Every structure is written in structure tokens, then in C-alpha cells.
Amino acid sequence: MKRLFSSVALAALAVQPLAAQDVEAEEQAEVAVEVEADAIENSGEEAPLPSAHGYEPKDELEKGLWYEMDEAEKRLKESRFLIEDPALNDYVRSVLCKTVGDQRCAATRLYLIRTPQFNASMAPNGVMLVYSGLLLRMRDEAQLAAVLGHEFTHFEKQHSLRIFRQIRTKTDILSWLSVLPVRLPYPAGMAAQMAVLGSVYDFNRDMEREADAGSIDELMRAGYDPRAASAIWSQLGAEMDATAEERGHRSDKNRNGGLFATHPRSTDRMGRLAQLAREAAGEDAENRYTGAQEYRAAIGPWWSALIDDQIALKDFGGTEYLLATLAGDDPLGWTGDLLYARGELYRARAEEGDFAQAADFYRQAIATGEYPAESWRGLGLSLLRDGHKVEGQTALRSYLELRPDAPDAALLASMAGEVAS
Amino acid sequence: MKTLVKLAAPLTLAAALAPVPAAAAWRLVEAGDTRKVARSDLRVTAPEDWNRATERPTSRSEVWTQDGIALSELSFFAKIKDGETLFKRNQRKRNPLPEFDKDMLPTDLVEWYEDTANIVLGGSLFEIVEVTPATLGGHPGVHFRYSYTGGDNVARLGEARAAIIDEKLYLISFEAPRLHYFDRYITGVRAMMDSARFE
């Protein structure tokens, strides 16, 4: 994100070439702004938290920032990438409120965004964004609570506001913001306004540490197992290793980029979070609430859509790893859904032996008794690609019996050797 | 976030990875004209006036429009070989585009197109609406309809006709905003797809 700001800064400077020559003066100005910001922060001893009822922006800069964020929120409400399902929204909100308490929770407007990336963020005006790729990766309610608690701490400690005070030099904050949507290429699959909301999060390491510690406090207060926080980072780190291995590039795990663009090195933070959890809960951690079943039930209706989004990324290594973590260590953890997804993954890769493997996974899915009807479709297509025409056609007909209204029913019927009506 | 913002701001599929340069010249294709497309023997007859970009997104494709690419985009792809991708490969390792495979089933062609679109558009709101058997230039193939919302938050509809002929892929696609533009042109485009012939 630093690179992002510097490129925006460059763009701004290009418009004002004079300013570009005066880097030293600018740095001094930056320090001055920081001092000014500290003065504002230290002035009122009992300044209200942004999560308090009726909180209002304190100075011109904060007012300007809120104004822009409110405008961005209006546009966000129009976005087709919003997940509007009331049940899923209520659930995620209930986890947030349980984590930070109903009173502080009231300051938050929560939005779920359909995009397969892992991310969550919170804007200074109380807008929280949770990406569906994050929901897919959480294994239980405690992990979700850990992320939400982390973002809420950034919000309450006003980290993004502090960052803005630092980057504001000669240029007025509003013009910074107005540059952003034009200069910034879109974050993949998201509306431009989200780029604006997301772009304020270049937290420094101290801020991240503070948010991590905050998340452990919130987990403890709410009764969750605080070990959930470190588990997230070990899962994600391993997933990035798996992606990199399959694609033959270096893992992004310890790069300050990619999924971790706004976060310190994942291995560092994992260790620190695990230690914080030990200090906070000790031996008692075993008995604390994780809410794995509750989480699965809440995410259930969305699961197949979210895994489809993930498979569409064509990230074989990362997705294979992700499915295995979702199944857990238990062989029975491989549910019909997960086996179907694994079949789709292998069929999509289409390398030597993959169709036979895929057919095997679809068959296993069907054998569980609870599986997506599309397992028959996948089985039929894998068998056809593998040269087993008759069996493949039979499987396609089984699918058409279950899903006569499938979007590709007419084509599948012709492939299954039926006379098209 | 950093990785994400490196991606281009795709509005439409062809404009995404291989944009027609701003300086591209346009030539008129008059109603009733029959033309070879995408440097192949595939010929189509234009049912009304179209604008043809002289710059090609790739050596195996060609783009026509009525109102500008973001509003109406007709793409021709021809002779795509085994192992090739639909668009230019910009991020070969970190964001690989799926490759065409000469052994693909008609359903695989549709999934391949969808996967390509999802990577190019960077989003996940691409949806296949309907898939039916069809012919292209007298060869058996597939016709499919889809809808998607790209980075500009505009809802678009699209239709494509594809066939594998002599182990090579031929594909004609049309997409336009759901509002007004798609309905305005789709009947003519379907007629054009039906009119496609080989030498």
C-alpha cells in the first residue's frame, strides 16, 4: 500500500511540478502535521471514542474524511457486489456485536462484498467491509470474531485517521481523495469506491500490534477461544505456500503484499498472536467457545457459491490446500460439498490423470448421500473427457433428472445422446 | 490490496487485457458487406453498418463496435490453437489465463470462457444464463448467453457462438450493457452468427 500512496503522490506531484522539487520541505511539513495530530489527540483527556454514541468528527480534516467516506458509502450501497442476504448479514453482524458488545457495535455499518479475496477493513466513519473470500476461509465463529475484533480496534484507535494526518502535507485531503478513483486502477472485482475506502489502510507495525492485541482482548471478553487469531494466519500462510508451489513462484507469505498487503509478516504475527493467546487464556483455552458448527450452519447456504468463486480463480494449489483445511484432520470432514469442489478443481485443471481423479471425487461425493446435484454433471463430463462415453452419458442423464431446468440442460441432453426436444 | 490494484480496470472483456489503442483507426463495414474476420476464412455478413477496429487485440482476433467498445462489443476469434489463451497473457505466473484444449467438450468451452472472463474481469459476478447446441459455419458447436458486472458496476449481457473446427477454436461474442444497447443489437448479431460461413 505504500507503493500505492507513492504512486498517487507522484501523480499529484506531476500536476504540481514545483512541489516535486521541494521534497525536504515536504518532509518537514509531514513532521509538523504529525506533531499537530498528536497535539489534537492529547488535548482532550477523555476524548470520546469513535464507537461512542453520537461521536462527531473533531476538526476540518476529520470532517472532510468523513464526508468523503459517507459519499463512498452511498455509492457502495448501489454496488452489485454487495451480498444482501439478510440472514448472512445478520449472522456476521451478530458475531461482531457479540465480540465488541452491543453498544460499540451500534457505531458500525457492516457490508458483505462478493469477491473471492481474503480481506476485511473498516473506514473511519464506521463502515466495515467483509469480503466473501474471508468468509470462505474462516473455520469457525471465533476466527471471524478475531478478524472483526482486529478491524474494530483499528477503527476505535482511529488508526486510519492518524495515517491520513501523516500523509496530508501541502495537498488538501479532499484532493487526495478525488485523485484516488481516477488514478487507481480498480482493485479486482470491486467498485472504485471500495478502492477509496480500502486505500486508507496502510497501518504501521505498531498499529497492527495494537489491533492484534485488541482482537485478543475482545475474544477473551466475548468468551471465544483466543487461539483462533493465530490459527487464521497459519492457515493463510500455508495456503500462500501451496499457491506458490503449484505456480512456481515465491510464496507471498512473508512479502508485505498480496493478501497481507495491509499486515506485517504473517509468520511474525502468528507467533505473537499465539503467545498473546497463551498469556490471556492459559490452559483454559481448550474450554472456550469456537462455534465451528454455528459458523458452518450460517455460511452453509452460501458455501457452494463461494467455493465456485474460489475455483474460478484457477489457483489449484491454494484451493486444494483450502479444501483440506476446511475438511480438517478427520477423514469424515470430507463432506459431499468438499468432495464435489475437489472434483471441480481437478476437472478444471485438466492435466493428465485429472479426469480420473475428478470422477473419483464426484463418486465419493455422491456416496456421502448429501451432495450437490452438479456432482452428476461433473462426473458425466469427466468420464466423457476420459473416454468413457456410455458411463458419462448415463451420469449426465442422472443430472438432468435432478436438474431439468439447468442453464445448459439442452446442450447436456444432446451430449447425453438424447433427442433434443 | 497491493496485488489487486496492479490489475487493470476492466470494463469489458476485450478492453481488459488487450485494449484497442486510443489511436486505433476505425473502418466502416457497410450493411450487406461480407467480410473475412480475424485473419481467417471465416466470413460474416453485416446486417447493418458496423465499425471495425484496424488494430487487433491479438493476431487471432478482431473487434467491431457500434457505439464504442464499452457500449457494444463484437469480437471475433479464429484459429485459436491447443495451449493458447483467448487474450494476451499478461501475468503468466501470478494470474494465468486458462488455455484452450483441442479436446474440450462444448460444455468445457463455456466454462473456459467463463473462467477467462472471471480472471480478466477480476470479479465473480459472471453468470452463464443459457447454453444450447448450435452450429458455426456449418460445424457443430455451442451458443451461450451470459451476464456480468465489470469493474464499472454496469450490468452487461453477452452471447457467444463457438465451435472447434480442425482442432482450432472459432468464437464470435457480443456484449453490451443490459440497458438499451444489448437489445438494440442482439437480433442482428444473432443473424450475423447464423450467416457465418467458411470459404
Side-chain angles (χ1 to χ4, degrees), chain B residues 2-60:
Chain B
K2 199 179 284 177
T3 312
L4 299 182
V5 294
K6 275 189 221 155
L7 297 171
L11 301 181
T12 61
L13 277 172
L17 285 184
V20 175
W26 298 91
R27 297 271 183 277
L28 184 66
V29 182
E30 283 185 56
D33 279 2
T34 298
R35 279 194 57 84
K36 283 186 177 182
V37 288
R39 293 197 175 120
S40 72
D41 291 333
L42 185 65
R43 288 162 171 261
V44 298
T45 304
E48 55 193 320
D49 289 357
W50 278 84
N51 305 293
R52 172 177 65 87
T54 55
E55 298 276 348
R56 295 163 190 276
T58 65
S59 63
R60 304 196 191 285

Side-chain angles (χ1 to χ4, degrees), chain A residues 47-303:
Chain A
L49 291 169
S51 57
H53 178 70
Y55 175 87
E56 290 200 0
K58 279 176 276 191
D59 56 8
E60 286 309 309
L61 183 135
E62 194 179 356
K63 276 180 198 153
L65 184 58
W66 273 54
Y67 174 79
E68 284 298 323
M69 292 293 153
D70 289 348
E71 290 296 305
E73 186 182 358
K74 276 182 208 159
R75 293 191 295 274
L76 177 65
K77 283 177 179 167
E78 304 287 310
S79 172
R80 294 174 181 278
F81 289 84
L82 281 184
I83 295 178
E84 288 176 349
D85 175 14
L88 189 62
N89 276 276
D90 286 352
Y91 174 72
V92 177
R93 183 163 189 92
S94 76
V95 175
L96 173 67
C97 293
K98 185 174 167 188
T99 308
V100 304
D102 285 335
Q103 238 175 354
R104 290 154 83 208
C105 181
T108 314
R109 272 104 57 220
L110 182 80
Y111 297 91
L112 305 182
I113 313 292
R114 177 95 181 258
T115 182
Q117 316 299 335
F118 170 95
N119 219 339
S121 61
M122 199 162 170
N125 65 341
V127 166
M128 182 180 255
L129 302 182
V130 177
Y131 293 12
S132 58
L134 184 145
L135 296 178
L136 178 67
R137 283 167 173 77
M138 299 292 99
R139 287 181 61 184
D140 53 42
E141 200 176 296
Q143 290 193 353
L144 177 60
V147 174
L148 301 181
H150 176 97
E151 294 303 331
F152 197 87
T153 307
H154 278 314
F155 163 67
E156 203 161 59
K157 303 275 181 193
Q158 297 191 304
H159 288 164
S160 52
L161 182 63
R162 273 194 250 168
I163 293 287
F164 255 105
R165 290 199 199 284
Q166 285 165 15
I167 63 166
R168 196 194 85 170
T169 52
K170 290 171 186 166
T171 320
D172 184 75
I173 187 147
L174 295 179
S175 67
W176 280 91
L177 281 165
S178 64
V179 163
L180 281 169
V182 185
R183 294 285 171 188
L184 273 187
Y186 253 64
M190 287 177 291
Q193 57 270 27
M194 285 171 233
V196 181
L197 290 174
S199 64
V200 295
Y201 301 100
D202 185 26
F203 299 131
N204 62 38
R205 293 205 170 189
D206 288 341
M207 291 175 173
E208 286 298 344
R209 288 207 182 90
E210 199 171 16
D212 277 347
S215 74
I216 298 287
D217 290 347
E218 307 291 354
L219 289 170
M220 288 302 292
R221 209 174 3 241
Y224 288 114
D225 182 348
R227 295 173 301 176
S230 66
I232 295 167
W233 299 102
S234 70
Q235 281 163 220
L236 283 168
E239 185 187 328
M240 294 177 119
D241 288 348
T243 299
E245 197 183 332
E246 176 78 14
R247 290 186 176 172
H249 64 68
R250 203 188 286 181
S251 175
D252 289 341
K253 183 171 66 175
N254 283 332
R255 247 167 56 134
N256 199 12
L259 298 183
F260 296 96
T262 59
H263 301 283
R265 290 167 187 274
S266 61
T267 39
D268 295 357
R269 98 182 301 173
M270 199 175 76
R272 207 173 48 248
L273 280 165
Q275 192 191 339
L276 285 173
R278 274 195 300 276
E279 286 167 10
E283 298 298 312
D284 183 43
E286 296 284 342
N287 305 319
R288 296 177 67 87
Y289 183 68
T290 56
Q293 279 179 342
E294 289 77 359
Y295 187 77
R296 267 201 292 275
I299 217 79
W302 277 88
W303 198 85

Side-chain angles (χ1 to χ4, degrees), chain B residues 14 18 20 36-40 52-64 74-80 84-88 169 171 173:
Chain B
V20 175
K36 283 186 177 182
V37 288
R39 293 197 175 120
S40 72
R52 172 177 65 87
T54 55
E55 298 276 348
R56 295 163 190 276
T58 65
S59 63
R60 304 196 191 285
S61 59
E62 179 174 326
V63 177
W64 295 9
L74 178 63
S75 305
F76 301 92
F77 301 85
K79 296 196 287 187
I80 305 245
E84 292 182 341
T85 54
L86 196 60
F87 299 104
K88 276 181 189 160
L169 175 80
L171 187 148
S173 68

